[in-house]
Amino acid sequence: MSDKQKLLVVEDETTLRETLMYNLKREGYEVIGTGDGSEALELAREQKFDLIVLDVMLPSLDGLSIVRILRKEQRTPIVLLTARSGEVDRIMGLETGADDYIVKPFSLGEFLARVRAVLRRAAPEVSAKLEAGDLSLDLIGRKAYRGGEELRLSHKEFDLLAALIKNTGTALSRDRLLQEVWGYDFPGDTRTVDVHIRWLREKIEKDAAEPKHIVTVRGVGYRFE
Ligand code: CA
């Protein structure tokens, strides 16, 4: 498994596509490329990308149509490449849902800066805050609140609660929680999880003896409700 961010580059001018791909790879991204609109749509549906660089004029299916279709299905950030500045008004006026655009010809430095900016804008939105009922977690400030009041959680309690809320409705085994919160190399055993769950329940449940949020799933582990 790779933790590299994965980008799709859709551009039918082969030299430009290869140049962009080469430089994005050098920046440390995993990059897949195509010059065909229909193939781009297929790829975007089959694989998960962190960002799509999309030329407007493409064979078989144009970039603006691709954006319109994808926006009904996913929120993957899209940066449009357009040949004429005259197209920009139309692109933005149509409110296609693209996150940014670059007018050709552009410098590589400008292109890479735009890509980085869009990725940066996209990332915190999905991961900065977790909410579940009257609980909310600020993942950047590492603060937890219940009904607006800050909870005093230890480092591990915070991580454990975040892991549970991220998987709301799914039963998580003690081993899985150990791996997610303590890491693979942690020498402790699964009772560590039980102890921290007990502490966490005392802090977040109205009645720790009758937990409504962190439910025990017999033979498996715990589930957040
Ligand atoms: Ca083109």
Side-chain angles (χ1 to χ4, degrees), residues 65-134:
S65 303
I66 295 173
V67 178
R68 271 191 295 270
I69 295 165
L70 283 181
R71 273 298 164 262
K72 291 179 188 146
E73 302 171 6
Q74 50 177 273
R75 279 301 315 163
T76 308
I78 297 171
V79 174
L80 285 172
L81 305 180
T82 172
R84 289 170 293 135
S85 53
E87 268 181 345
V88 171
D89 287 347
R90 195 164 69 90
I91 290 169
M92 291 302 141
L94 284 172
E95 289 178 10
T96 48
D99 295 79
D100 203 354
Y101 64 89
I102 305 177
V103 180
K104 295 177 188 174
F106 48 80
S107 74
L108 214 44
E110 183 193 1
F111 170 76
L112 294 172
R114 294 286 187 96
V115 165
R116 276 194 294 266
V118 171
L119 282 170
R120 208 165 40 232
R121 279 205 304 271
E125 269 179 75
V126 286
S127 62
K129 216 168 170 208
L130 282 179
E131 300 208 54
D134 59 347

Coordinates of all heavy atoms in Angstrom, one line a residue, residues 65-134:
S65 N -17.8 18.1 -19.9 CA -18.8 17.0 -19.7 C -18.3 16.0 -18.6 O -19.1 15.6 -17.8 CB -19.0 16.2 -21.0 OG -19.4 17.1 -22.0
I66 N -17.0 15.7 -18.6 CA -16.5 14.8 -17.6 C -16.7 15.4 -16.2 O -17.1 14.7 -15.3 CB -15.0 14.5 -17.9 CG1 -14.8 13.8 -19.2 CG2 -14.4 13.7 -16.7 CD1 -13.4 13.6 -19.6
V67 N -16.4 16.7 -16.1 CA -16.6 17.3 -14.8 C -18.1 17.2 -14.3 O -18.4 16.9 -13.2 CB -16.2 18.8 -14.8 CG1 -16.5 19.5 -13.4 CG2 -14.7 19.0 -15.1
R68 N -19.0 17.5 -15.3 CA -20.4 17.5 -14.9 C -20.8 16.1 -14.5 O -21.6 15.9 -13.5 CB -21.3 18.0 -16.1 CG -21.5 19.5 -16.1 CD -22.6 19.9 -17.1 NE -22.2 19.6 -18.4 CZ -21.5 20.5 -19.2 NH1 -21.2 21.7 -18.7 NH2 -21.1 20.2 -20.4
I69 N -20.4 15.1 -15.2 CA -20.7 13.7 -14.8 C -20.1 13.3 -13.5 O -20.8 12.8 -12.6 CB -20.2 12.7 -15.9 CG1 -21.0 13.0 -17.2 CG2 -20.5 11.3 -15.5 CD1 -20.3 12.3 -18.5
L70 N -18.8 13.6 -13.3 CA -18.2 13.2 -12.1 C -18.7 13.9 -10.8 O -18.8 13.4 -9.8 CB -16.6 13.5 -12.2 CG -15.8 12.5 -13.0 CD1 -14.4 12.9 -13.0 CD2 -16.0 11.1 -12.5
R71 N -19.1 15.2 -11.0 CA -19.6 16.0 -9.9 C -20.9 15.4 -9.3 O -21.2 15.6 -8.1 CB -19.8 17.4 -10.2 CG -18.6 18.3 -10.1 CD -18.1 18.3 -8.6 NE -16.7 18.8 -8.5 CZ -15.7 18.0 -8.4 NH1 -15.8 16.7 -8.4 NH2 -14.5 18.5 -8.3
K72 N -21.6 14.6 -10.1 CA -22.8 13.9 -9.5 C -22.4 12.7 -8.7 O -23.2 12.1 -8.0 CB -23.7 13.5 -10.7 CG -24.4 14.7 -11.3 CD -25.3 14.3 -12.5 CE -25.7 15.6 -13.2 NZ -25.9 15.3 -14.7
E73 N -21.2 12.2 -8.9 CA -20.8 11.0 -8.3 C -19.7 11.1 -7.3 O -19.6 10.2 -6.4 CB -20.2 10.0 -9.4 CG -21.2 9.8 -10.6 CD -20.6 9.1 -11.7 OE1 -19.4 8.7 -11.7 OE2 -21.3 8.9 -12.8
Q74 N -18.8 12.1 -7.3 CA -17.7 12.2 -6.4 C -17.2 13.6 -6.2 O -17.6 14.5 -7.0 CB -16.6 11.3 -6.8 CG -16.2 11.5 -8.3 CD -15.0 10.6 -8.7 OE1 -13.9 11.0 -8.6 NE2 -15.3 9.4 -9.3
R75 N -16.4 13.8 -5.2 CA -15.9 15.2 -4.9 C -14.4 15.3 -5.2 O -13.8 16.3 -4.7 CB -16.1 15.5 -3.4 CG -17.5 16.0 -3.0 CD -18.0 17.2 -3.7 NE -16.9 18.3 -3.8 CZ -17.0 19.3 -4.6 NH1 -17.9 19.4 -5.5 NH2 -16.0 20.2 -4.6
T76 N -13.8 14.4 -5.9 CA -12.4 14.5 -6.3 C -12.1 15.8 -6.8 O -12.7 16.3 -7.8 CB -12.0 13.4 -7.3 OG1 -12.5 12.1 -6.8 CG2 -10.5 13.3 -7.5
P77 N -11.1 16.6 -6.3 CA -10.7 17.9 -6.8 C -10.3 17.8 -8.3 O -9.6 16.8 -8.7 CB -9.5 18.3 -6.0 CG -9.7 17.5 -4.7 CD -10.3 16.2 -5.1
I78 N -10.7 18.8 -9.1 CA -10.4 18.8 -10.5 C -9.8 20.1 -10.9 O -10.3 21.2 -10.5 CB -11.7 18.6 -11.4 CG1 -12.3 17.2 -11.1 CG2 -11.4 18.7 -12.9 CD1 -13.6 16.9 -11.7
V79 N -8.7 20.1 -11.6 CA -8.0 21.3 -12.1 C -8.1 21.2 -13.7 O -7.7 20.3 -14.3 CB -6.5 21.4 -11.7 CG1 -5.9 22.5 -12.4 CG2 -6.4 21.5 -10.2
L80 N -8.8 22.2 -14.3 CA -9.0 22.2 -15.7 C -7.8 22.9 -16.4 O -7.3 23.8 -15.9 CB -10.3 22.9 -16.1 CG -11.6 22.2 -15.8 CD1 -12.8 23.1 -16.0 CD2 -11.8 20.9 -16.7
L81 N -7.5 22.3 -17.6 CA -6.5 23.0 -18.4 C -7.2 23.5 -19.6 O -8.0 22.7 -20.3 CB -5.4 21.9 -18.9 CG -4.7 21.2 -17.8 CD1 -3.7 20.2 -18.5 CD2 -4.0 22.1 -16.9
T82 N -7.1 24.8 -19.9 CA -7.8 25.3 -21.1 C -6.9 26.0 -22.0 O -5.9 26.6 -21.6 CB -9.0 26.2 -20.6 OG1 -9.5 26.8 -21.8 CG2 -8.5 27.2 -19.6
A83 N -7.2 25.9 -23.3 CA -6.3 26.5 -24.3 C -6.4 28.0 -24.5 O -5.5 28.7 -24.8 CB -6.5 25.8 -25.6
R84 N -7.6 28.5 -24.3 CA -7.8 29.9 -24.5 C -8.4 30.6 -23.3 O -9.3 30.1 -22.6 CB -8.8 30.1 -25.7 CG -8.2 29.7 -27.0 CD -9.3 29.7 -28.1 NE -10.2 28.6 -27.9 CZ -11.5 28.7 -28.0 NH1 -12.0 29.8 -28.3 NH2 -12.2 27.6 -27.8
S85 N -7.9 31.8 -23.0 CA -8.4 32.5 -21.8 C -9.9 32.9 -22.1 O -10.6 33.0 -21.1 CB -7.6 33.8 -21.6 OG -7.5 34.5 -22.7
G86 N -10.3 33.0 -23.3 CA -11.7 33.2 -23.6 C -12.6 32.1 -23.1 O -13.8 32.4 -22.9
E87 N -12.1 31.0 -22.9 CA -12.9 29.8 -22.4 C -13.2 29.9 -20.9 O -14.1 29.3 -20.4 CB -12.2 28.5 -22.6 CG -12.5 27.9 -23.9 CD -11.8 26.5 -24.1 OE1 -10.8 26.3 -23.4 OE2 -12.2 25.8 -25.0
V88 N -12.3 30.7 -20.2 CA -12.4 30.7 -18.7 C -13.8 31.2 -18.2 O -14.3 30.6 -17.4 CB -11.3 31.6 -18.2 CG1 -11.5 31.8 -16.7 CG2 -9.9 31.0 -18.4
D89 N -14.3 32.3 -18.8 CA -15.6 32.8 -18.4 C -16.6 31.7 -18.5 O -17.5 31.5 -17.7 CB -16.0 34.0 -19.2 CG -15.2 35.2 -18.9 OD1 -14.5 35.2 -17.8 OD2 -15.2 36.2 -19.6
R90 N -16.6 31.0 -19.7 CA -17.6 30.0 -19.9 C -17.4 28.8 -18.9 O -18.4 28.4 -18.3 CB -17.4 29.4 -21.3 CG -18.5 28.6 -21.9 CD -18.4 28.4 -23.4 NE -17.3 27.6 -23.8 CZ -17.4 26.3 -23.9 NH1 -18.6 25.7 -23.7 NH2 -16.4 25.5 -24.2
I91 N -16.2 28.5 -18.7 CA -15.9 27.4 -17.7 C -16.5 27.7 -16.3 O -17.2 27.0 -15.7 CB -14.4 27.1 -17.6 CG1 -13.9 26.5 -18.8 CG2 -14.1 26.2 -16.4 CD1 -12.4 26.4 -18.9
M92 N -16.1 28.9 -15.9 CA -16.5 29.3 -14.5 C -18.0 29.7 -14.5 O -18.7 29.4 -13.5 CB -15.7 30.5 -14.0 CG -14.2 30.0 -13.8 SD -14.2 28.6 -12.6 CE -13.0 27.6 -13.2
G93 N -18.5 30.3 -15.6 CA -19.9 30.7 -15.7 C -20.8 29.5 -15.6 O -21.9 29.5 -15.1
L94 N -20.4 28.4 -16.2 CA -21.2 27.2 -16.2 C -21.2 26.5 -14.8 O -22.0 25.6 -14.6 CB -20.6 26.2 -17.2 CG -20.9 26.5 -18.6 CD1 -20.1 25.5 -19.5 CD2 -22.4 26.3 -18.9
E95 N -20.4 27.0 -13.9 CA -20.3 26.4 -12.6 C -20.2 24.9 -12.7 O -21.0 24.1 -12.1 CB -21.5 26.8 -11.7 CG -21.4 28.3 -11.3 CD -22.5 28.8 -10.5 OE1 -23.4 27.9 -10.1 OE2 -22.6 30.0 -10.3
T96 N -19.2 24.4 -13.4 CA -19.1 23.0 -13.7 C -18.7 22.3 -12.4 O -18.9 21.1 -12.3 CB -18.0 22.8 -14.7 OG1 -16.8 23.6 -14.3 CG2 -18.4 23.2 -16.1
G97 N -18.1 23.0 -11.5 CA -17.7 22.3 -10.3 C -16.2 22.0 -10.3 O -15.7 21.3 -9.4
A98 N -15.5 22.5 -11.2 CA -14.0 22.4 -11.2 C -13.5 23.2 -10.0 O -14.0 24.2 -9.7 CB -13.4 22.8 -12.5
D99 N -12.3 22.8 -9.5 CA -11.8 23.5 -8.3 C -10.8 24.6 -8.7 O -10.6 25.5 -7.9 CB -11.0 22.5 -7.4 CG -12.0 21.5 -6.8 OD1 -12.4 20.5 -7.6 OD2 -12.4 21.6 -5.7
D100 N -10.3 24.5 -9.9 CA -9.4 25.5 -10.4 C -9.2 25.3 -11.9 O -9.6 24.3 -12.4 CB -8.0 25.4 -9.6 CG -7.3 26.8 -9.7 OD1 -7.7 27.7 -10.3 OD2 -6.2 26.9 -9.0
Y101 N -8.5 26.3 -12.5 CA -8.2 26.1 -14.0 C -6.9 26.8 -14.2 O -6.5 27.7 -13.5 CB -9.3 26.7 -14.8 CG -9.4 28.2 -14.6 CD1 -8.7 29.1 -15.4 CD2 -10.2 28.8 -13.6 CE1 -8.7 30.5 -15.2 CE2 -10.3 30.1 -13.4 CZ -9.6 31.0 -14.2 OH -9.6 32.3 -14.0
I102 N -6.2 26.3 -15.3 CA -5.0 27.0 -15.7 C -5.1 27.2 -17.2 O -5.5 26.3 -18.0 CB -3.8 26.1 -15.4 CG1 -3.7 25.7 -13.9 CG2 -2.5 26.8 -15.8 CD1 -2.6 24.8 -13.5
V103 N -4.7 28.4 -17.7 CA -4.8 28.7 -19.1 C -3.4 28.4 -19.7 O -2.4 28.8 -19.2 CB -5.1 30.2 -19.3 CG1 -5.2 30.5 -20.8 CG2 -6.5 30.5 -18.6
K104 N -3.5 27.6 -20.8 CA -2.3 27.3 -21.6 C -1.8 28.5 -22.4 O -2.7 29.2 -22.9 CB -2.5 26.2 -22.6 CG -2.9 24.8 -21.9 CD -3.2 23.8 -23.0 CE -3.7 22.5 -22.5 NZ -4.2 21.6 -23.5
P105 N -0.6 28.8 -22.6 CA 0.5 28.0 -22.1 C 0.8 28.4 -20.6 O 0.7 29.6 -20.3 CB 1.7 28.4 -23.0 CG 1.4 29.7 -23.5 CD -0.1 29.9 -23.5
F106 N 1.2 27.5 -19.8 CA 1.5 27.8 -18.4 C 2.9 27.3 -18.1 O 3.4 26.4 -18.7 CB 0.5 27.2 -17.5 CG 0.2 25.8 -17.7 CD1 1.1 24.8 -17.2 CD2 -0.9 25.4 -18.4 CE1 0.8 23.5 -17.5 CE2 -1.2 24.0 -18.7 CZ -0.3 23.1 -18.2
S107 N 3.5 27.9 -17.1 CA 4.8 27.4 -16.7 C 4.6 26.2 -15.7 O 3.6 26.1 -15.1 CB 5.6 28.5 -15.9 OG 5.1 28.7 -14.6
L108 N 5.6 25.4 -15.7 CA 5.6 24.2 -14.9 C 5.5 24.6 -13.4 O 4.8 23.9 -12.6 CB 6.9 23.4 -15.1 CG 6.8 21.9 -15.0 CD1 5.6 21.3 -15.8 CD2 8.1 21.3 -15.6
G109 N 6.2 25.6 -13.0 CA 6.1 26.1 -11.7 C 4.7 26.5 -11.3 O 4.3 26.2 -10.2
E110 N 4.0 27.2 -12.1 CA 2.7 27.6 -11.9 C 1.8 26.4 -11.7 O 0.9 26.3 -10.8 CB 2.2 28.6 -13.0 CG 0.8 29.1 -12.7 CD 0.1 29.7 -13.9 OE1 0.7 29.8 -15.0 OE2 -1.1 30.2 -13.8
F111 N 1.9 25.5 -12.6 CA 1.1 24.3 -12.6 C 1.3 23.5 -11.3 O 0.3 23.1 -10.7 CB 1.5 23.4 -13.8 CG 0.9 22.0 -13.8 CD1 -0.4 21.8 -14.1 CD2 1.6 20.9 -13.4 CE1 -1.0 20.6 -14.1 CE2 1.1 19.6 -13.4 CZ -0.2 19.5 -13.7
L112 N 2.5 23.3 -10.9 CA 2.8 22.5 -9.7 C 2.2 23.2 -8.5 O 1.7 22.6 -7.6 CB 4.3 22.2 -9.6 CG 4.8 21.3 -10.6 CD1 6.4 21.2 -10.5 CD2 4.2 19.9 -10.6
A113 N 2.4 24.6 -8.5 CA 1.9 25.3 -7.4 C 0.3 25.2 -7.2 O -0.2 25.1 -6.1 CB 2.3 26.8 -7.5
R114 N -0.3 25.3 -8.4 CA -1.8 25.1 -8.4 C -2.2 23.8 -7.9 O -3.2 23.6 -7.1 CB -2.4 25.3 -9.8 CG -2.2 26.7 -10.4 CD -3.2 27.7 -9.7 NE -3.1 28.9 -10.4 CZ -3.9 29.3 -11.4 NH1 -4.9 28.5 -11.7 NH2 -3.8 30.5 -12.0
V115 N -1.5 22.7 -8.3 CA -1.8 21.4 -7.9 C -1.7 21.2 -6.4 O -2.6 20.7 -5.7 CB -0.9 20.3 -8.7 CG1 -1.0 19.0 -8.0 CG2 -1.4 20.2 -10.1
R116 N -0.6 21.7 -5.9 CA -0.3 21.7 -4.5 C -1.4 22.4 -3.7 O -1.9 21.9 -2.7 CB 1.1 22.3 -4.1 CG 2.2 21.3 -4.3 CD 3.5 21.8 -3.6 NE 4.0 23.0 -4.3 CZ 4.9 23.0 -5.2 NH1 5.4 21.9 -5.7 NH2 5.3 24.1 -5.8
A117 N -1.8 23.6 -4.2 CA -2.8 24.4 -3.5 C -4.1 23.7 -3.4 O -4.8 23.7 -2.4 CB -2.9 25.8 -4.2
V118 N -4.5 23.1 -4.5 CA -5.8 22.4 -4.6 C -5.8 21.2 -3.7 O -6.8 21.0 -2.9 CB -6.2 22.1 -6.0 CG1 -7.5 21.2 -6.0 CG2 -6.5 23.3 -6.9
L119 N -4.7 20.5 -3.7 CA -4.6 19.3 -2.8 C -4.7 19.8 -1.3 O -5.3 19.1 -0.5 CB -3.3 18.6 -3.0 CG -3.3 17.7 -4.3 CD1 -1.9 17.2 -4.6 CD2 -4.2 16.5 -4.1
R120 N -4.0 20.9 -1.0 CA -4.0 21.4 0.4 C -5.4 21.8 0.8 O -5.8 21.5 1.9 CB -3.0 22.6 0.5 CG -2.4 22.7 1.8 CD -1.2 23.7 1.7 NE -1.4 24.8 0.9 CZ -0.5 25.2 -0.1 NH1 0.6 24.4 -0.3 NH2 -0.7 26.2 -0.9
R121 N -6.1 22.5 -0.1 CA -7.4 23.0 0.2 C -8.4 21.8 0.5 O -9.3 21.8 1.3 CB -8.0 23.8 -0.9 CG -7.5 25.3 -0.9 CD -8.6 26.2 -1.6 NE -8.9 25.8 -2.9 CZ -8.2 26.2 -4.0 NH1 -7.1 27.0 -3.8 NH2 -8.5 25.8 -5.2
A122 N -8.2 20.7 -0.3 CA -9.1 19.6 -0.3 C -8.9 18.7 0.9 O -9.8 18.2 1.5 CB -8.9 18.7 -1.6
A123 N -7.6 18.6 1.4 CA -7.3 17.7 2.4 C -8.0 18.0 3.8 O -8.6 17.1 4.4 CB -5.8 17.5 2.6
P124 N -7.8 19.2 4.4 CA -8.3 19.4 5.7 C -9.8 19.3 5.8 O -10.3 18.9 6.8 CB -7.9 20.8 6.0 CG -6.9 21.3 5.0 CD -7.2 20.4 3.8
E125 N -10.5 19.6 4.7 CA -12.0 19.6 4.8 C -12.6 18.3 5.2 O -13.5 18.2 6.0 CB -12.6 20.0 3.5 CG -12.8 21.5 3.3 CD -13.4 21.8 2.0 OE1 -14.6 21.6 1.8 OE2 -12.6 22.3 1.1
V126 N -12.0 17.2 4.7 CA -12.5 15.9 5.0 C -12.0 15.4 6.3 O -12.6 14.5 6.9 CB -12.2 14.9 3.9 CG1 -13.1 15.1 2.7 CG2 -10.7 14.9 3.5
S127 N -10.9 15.9 6.8 CA -10.2 15.3 7.9 C -10.1 16.2 9.2 O -9.7 15.7 10.2 CB -8.9 14.8 7.6 OG -8.0 15.8 7.2
A128 N -10.5 17.4 9.1 CA -10.3 18.3 10.2 C -11.2 18.1 11.4 O -10.9 18.3 12.5 CB -10.3 19.8 9.8
K129 N -12.5 17.7 11.1 CA -13.5 17.6 12.1 C -14.3 16.4 12.0 O -14.7 16.0 10.9 CB -14.4 18.9 11.9 CG -14.9 19.4 13.3 CD -15.5 20.7 13.1 CE -16.2 21.1 14.5 NZ -17.3 22.0 14.2
L130 N -14.6 15.8 13.1 CA -15.4 14.6 13.1 C -16.6 14.9 14.0 O -16.4 15.5 15.1 CB -14.7 13.4 13.7 CG -13.7 12.6 12.9 CD1 -13.1 11.5 13.7 CD2 -14.4 12.0 11.6
E131 N -17.8 14.6 13.6 CA -19.0 14.8 14.4 C -19.8 13.6 14.5 O -20.0 12.8 13.6 CB -19.8 16.0 13.8 CG -19.0 17.2 13.8 CD -19.8 18.5 13.9 OE1 -20.6 18.6 14.8 OE2 -19.7 19.3 13.0
A132 N -20.4 13.4 15.7 CA -21.3 12.2 15.9 C -22.2 12.6 17.1 O -21.8 12.7 18.2 CB -20.5 11.0 16.2
G133 N -23.4 12.8 16.7 CA -24.4 13.2 17.8 C -24.0 14.5 18.5 O -23.6 15.5 17.8
D134 N -23.9 14.5 19.8 CA -23.4 15.7 20.5 C -21.9 15.7 20.7 O -21.4 16.6 21.3 CB -24.1 15.7 21.9 CG -23.8 14.5 22.8 OD1 -23.3 13.5 22.2 OD2 -24.1 14.6 24.0

